[in-house]
Every structure is written in C-alpha cells, then in structure tokens.
Amino acid sequence: MADSDLSNADLSSADLIDADILIIGAGPAGLFASYYAGMRGLDVVLVDSLDHLGGQVAALYPEKFIYDVAGFPAVRGRDLIAGLVEQAASADPRILLGEECSTLEDQPDGTLIAATTAGTRIHCGAVLITGGIGRFTPRPLPAVDAYTGGGIHRAVGPAEEYAEHDVVIVGGGDSAVDWANMLAETARSVTIVHRRARFTAHESSVARLRESSARVIMEAELVELLGDPAVEQVIVKGAKQDFLETIPASVVVPALGHIAALGPISGWGLRVEARQIEVGTDMSTGRPRVFAAGDITDYPGKVRLMAVGFGEAATAVNNIAVLLRPGEDVFPGHSSELPRAVGAGIGV
Ligand SMILES: Cc1cc2nc3c(=O)[nH]c(=O)nc-3n(C[C@H](O)[C@H](O)[C@H](O)COP(=O)(O)OP(=O)(O)OC[C@H]3O[C@@H](n4cnc5c(N)ncnc54)[C@H](O)[C@@H]3O)c2cc1C
C-alpha cells in the first residue's frame, strides 16, 4: 500500500505533538476524516494500532470487490484504500502506525492530551475516534504463532503472486473459503484445512470450493510448520480420526478471524454499549471535544457500512471545525467551489 510517503516515523518518539485534531483509527472513516479535516484547514494527527493504513478493509479483505461505495460500481478493497490514502495525503496528516491510543486527559484550558502505547503524546483541540470494531488481532493458531520463519500471509495479496506456491489455508469462514477459491485458479496447489465438519462460509462459496481444484481436509488441525528460513511443509493431524499427514506448503494463510476489543477507549468516560460509542447527531460523544464516526458509533437506526461512516466523518469534522473556530459555519461550502481544491499538490 502506498502509505510510506505518509508515515512520520520520526515522530514516534516521546515528543509532545501539537495538532488541531487527533483522529484515532486509520480505517476508511479515519482516512476520509483526515482528508476532510485538511479541507477545513485543520492540522491532523492520525494514529492506528495496526502497522498499516486501511483498517478492516486492508487487513481482512483487500482483494474482495465492494459494490456499495457511492461512485464505484465495483471497487477492490485495496484500490479503495489506495484512493482514500491518496485523498488523505492532501491534508498532510502526521501518521503514527503501530501505536494504540491508551489515555486521554483533559487540560485546564479545555484542550486534550492523548498518549499512545509507544509513549507519544498528542496535544489537540479535539479528538475524533474512528476506531471501528476496536483494536483487532488475529485469532491465535498455536502452530503458526510458534513458527518464526517466513511464508505466513495474514491476508492474501494479488492472485498472480501465488503462481509458484503451494498454499495451505486454515479456517472455515468466508475469508478462508474466498481465498481458497481465488487462489485455486492461480496457485500451484491450494489446500484448505478446517477443524470442524462444516464450513461457516456462504453456501455458494462452499459449493464453488467443492468444484474447484482446491483440496479440502475437514476435521483436521495444523499442528506444525517445517522449513527454515521459510515454510516448506506443514503437518496436519486429524481432529477426530487419528491421522498425520505432511503437506507441501510454501505459503500458510491462517484465516481464523480476529478478536476485536475496544481496549482503553472504554475507560474514557464515554457512553459505551457493546463496544460502540453512543453519539449525537453532530457525532459528539458527550465528553467535551471528543467525537466519533464510522463503525464505532451507535444511535437509533445506525447502519454499519462504509458509506455511512464517510458521512459521519464529514459531519464530525465540520462540527469540530466550528468548535475550534467559533463563528465558522458548520457547512463547509462546496468543495467544487473552493479556491484551492484539496488535492492540489498530489497531482489530481
Ligand atoms: C469481510 C468483510 C467484508 C465487508 N464488506 C463490506 C462492504 O461490502 N461494504 C461496506 O460498506 N462495508 C463492508 N464491510 C464493513 C467495513 O469494512 C467497515 O464498515 C469499515 O471498515 C468500517 O470502517 P471504520 O473506519 O469505521 O473502522 P475500521 O475499518 O475497523 O478501522 C478502525 C481502525 O481503528 C484502529 N483502532 C481501534 N482502536 C484504536 C486505538 N485505541 N488506537 C489506535 N488505533 C485504533 C484499528 O486498528 C483499525 O485500523 C466488510 C467487513 C468485512 C469484515
């Protein structure tokens, strides 16, 4: 992903960074909010606990097509994120990746200081939480977690990159089955290992898998990875029947899903219910100067889609702009009529 030009690794120190707005979470909502804040002339710091931009889309389904983003009849996940990253770049945000926002303190003048797990402190006029489903980490798979060599792909890249590979996918949900279907057409071999007797993936995907060239091993577990410096074989053990089999594998894809947790944000005095933050129509949370947008928000009638998150991000940022600069209008004007459209400087 083209995020290297945005990362400010030199700021990942114990320095106190000043910003108008701190955006917590660099998924679709956070990236669009960054762009929008730039459009309103606000100085942005964008933080994510993952080591890359793009939230769930980049981490969980970069190769899937998305059909319900306005203006795109169909857009691949990674292409959508690349567009959002390019758009966000025009705001010149300072980006801190691999850092989780852990504390938030009110200052006597009403401003806020947030701190990350890496020790970075951000002094800001307002906070926008776009933390999605929270910090998410892959569900553990002991054999993979114990293995220190290469060849582990937490997400699958473009299919053509697997032409020379024997791929073993572990899991039985949508990601596992979709990836098996996708790679069955291009990889040298694909084996899917699932410890249960039934897949939980969509029925039509399972039917397609059964007709594909992928080998399916049900009621079995991956118990060991062999090879140094990269995986060459895996050992699969029957969960019920007692069998052990060694399978060639140059790529192993653990696709057991993720564990999501709101983490420290739940202790910030916000109205939190079932990992979601209750917000008002202006996206305010009830705690002064703290707003939220995207999957993490809740209100009657909430629909958890990116299209909705983009709108919430714009609403939140426009209300923050007025909060920080009283007298300004919450309506930003039409971007098409701005004298200098944001985007100038990045070749659009
Ligand atoms: C398989 C799959 C398919 C989907 N298909 C579609 C679709 O077709 N259309 C659609 O509209 N939606 C779809 N979705 C849902 C869509 O991906 C989400 O609605 C969207 O990602 C939400 O964006 P977000 O920015 O609110 O949150 P996220 O994408 O979850 O991003 C939040 C980010 O915040 C970070 N974060 C959380 N807490 C902290 C913290 N304390 N400090 C620092 N960082 C933090 C996380 O690491 C994460 O990167 C799909 C989801 C999945 C799993």
Side-chain angles (χ1 to χ4, degrees), residues 25 27-29 48-50 55-56 61 68 100-101 130-132 134 294-295 305-306:
D48 203 295
S49 50
L50 294 175
Q56 290 177 58
Y61 59 104
D68 55 358
E100 182 181 12
C101 276
T130 48
D295 270 17
L305 285 175
M306 280 183 274

Side-chain angles (χ1 to χ4, degrees), residues 167-235:
V167 181
V168 172
I169 298 172
V170 186
D174 281 311
S175 295
V177 172
D178 287 350
W179 281 333
N181 282 331
M182 183 179 108
L183 297 183
E185 292 166 16
T186 49
R188 188 161 56 205
S189 74
V190 172
T191 306
I192 182 164
V193 179
H194 183 39
R195 70 190 166 98
R196 301 201 189 283
R198 292 177 68 86
F199 286 109
T200 53
H202 197 276
E203 242 173 67
S204 63
S205 310
V206 175
R208 194 175 145 208
L209 177 72
R210 299 280 185 201
E211 285 169 12
S212 76
S213 61
R215 181 176 173 207
V216 176
I217 308 181
M218 302 300 282
E219 298 189 88
E221 286 174 340
L222 190 73
V223 289
E224 197 173 348
L225 284 75
L226 308 171
D228 183 18
V231 61
E232 291 165 17
Q233 293 174 316
V234 296
I235 301 178

Side-chain angles (χ1 to χ4, degrees), residues 24-30 47-50 54-57 60-61 64 66-68 99-101 130-136 175 262 264-265 293-296 304-307:
I24 301 174
V47 181
D48 203 295
S49 50
L50 294 175
Q56 290 177 58
V57 184
L60 305 182
Y61 59 104
K64 267 182 183 281
I66 302 162
Y67 302 97
D68 55 358
E99 299 193 27
E100 182 181 12
C101 276
T130 48
I133 51 174
R135 170 201 61 209
F136 53 99
S175 295
L262 195 51
I265 291 173
D295 270 17
I296 202 161
R304 257 167 212 93
L305 285 175
M306 280 183 274

